[in-house]
Amino acid sequence: GKEVYGFTMPLVTDKCGNKFGKSEGNALWLDEDKTSSYELYQYLINSSDEKIEEYLKVFTFLTPEEIEEVMKKHLAKPEERLAQKTLAFEMIKDLHGEESFNHAMEVSEALFSGDVSKLNERDITSVFRGMDSFDIDKDTNIIDLLVDNEVVKSKREAREFISNGSITLNGEKVTDTEMVVTKKN
């Protein structure tokens, strides 16, 4: 005889109609240790224009009027990605705090400017989570390091990449094929 309430909500999907979740391989965790603010920022900033208004409505506490204003500005200059930036700011601020949002922006700036020297070990570990990595235990010539760790297929390819300025180490382009990489690097 007690009164109860329930509600349903449609699944949130990406632009292809795929749901978000572990089984789909695109889960976004609320725990910052599982999905860092940087990873969340990158995911949200790359949200499709087709879904961004829906995401603003579902994932933020913005009023309908605020969302309408954001979308109006976004549609006038979609290349500036104002709606995606607003979504990223609102979600990260609410989940992890404004300081975490600012940190995610700093990490993004460092990566996309190529100045990775500003990143600490935790940032680097978070940013490159899931990517191949290797440790060096002795001083090694840059070409041997690239070949031995299968970054390139051959010494010729390593020399070519270096001469084309395609290899960086700690944000600095490697130009010397005789460079010795140490643990300090």
Side-chain angles (χ1 to χ4, degrees), residues 133-155 158 162 167-170 174 177-183 185:
S133 65
F134 51 88
D135 293 317
I136 63 168
D137 53 5
K138 62 181 178 178
D139 295 357
T140 308
N141 172 275
I142 186 70
I143 291 176
D144 293 332
L145 178 76
L146 295 171
V147 173
D148 293 346
N149 291 286
E150 300 178 357
V151 175
V152 297
K153 294 177 183 167
S154 67
K155 289 186 176 192
I162 291 170
I167 303 295
T168 61
L169 183 64
N170 297 327
V174 176
T177 58
E178 300 300 318
M179 176 186 187
V180 174
V181 179
T182 67
K183 279 187 148 194
N185 298 120

Side-chain angles (χ1 to χ4, degrees), residues 35-47 84-85 88-89 92 101 104-105 108 112:
T35 302
S36 71
S37 292
Y38 166 77
E39 291 168 305
L40 191 55
Y41 176 82
Q42 288 303 314
Y43 187 88
L44 296 171
I45 204 74
N46 289 302
S47 297
Q84 286 86 346
K85 290 175 182 176
F89 172 74
I92 295 169
F101 172 80
M105 292 287 297
S108 294
F112 291 104

Side-chain angles (χ1 to χ4, degrees), residues 46-60:
N46 289 302
S47 297
S48 69
D49 284 345
E50 296 90 353
K51 300 295 282 185
I52 195 67
E53 186 172 3
E54 175 188 344
Y55 294 169
L56 285 166
K57 290 175 181 177
V58 171
F59 294 128
T60 73

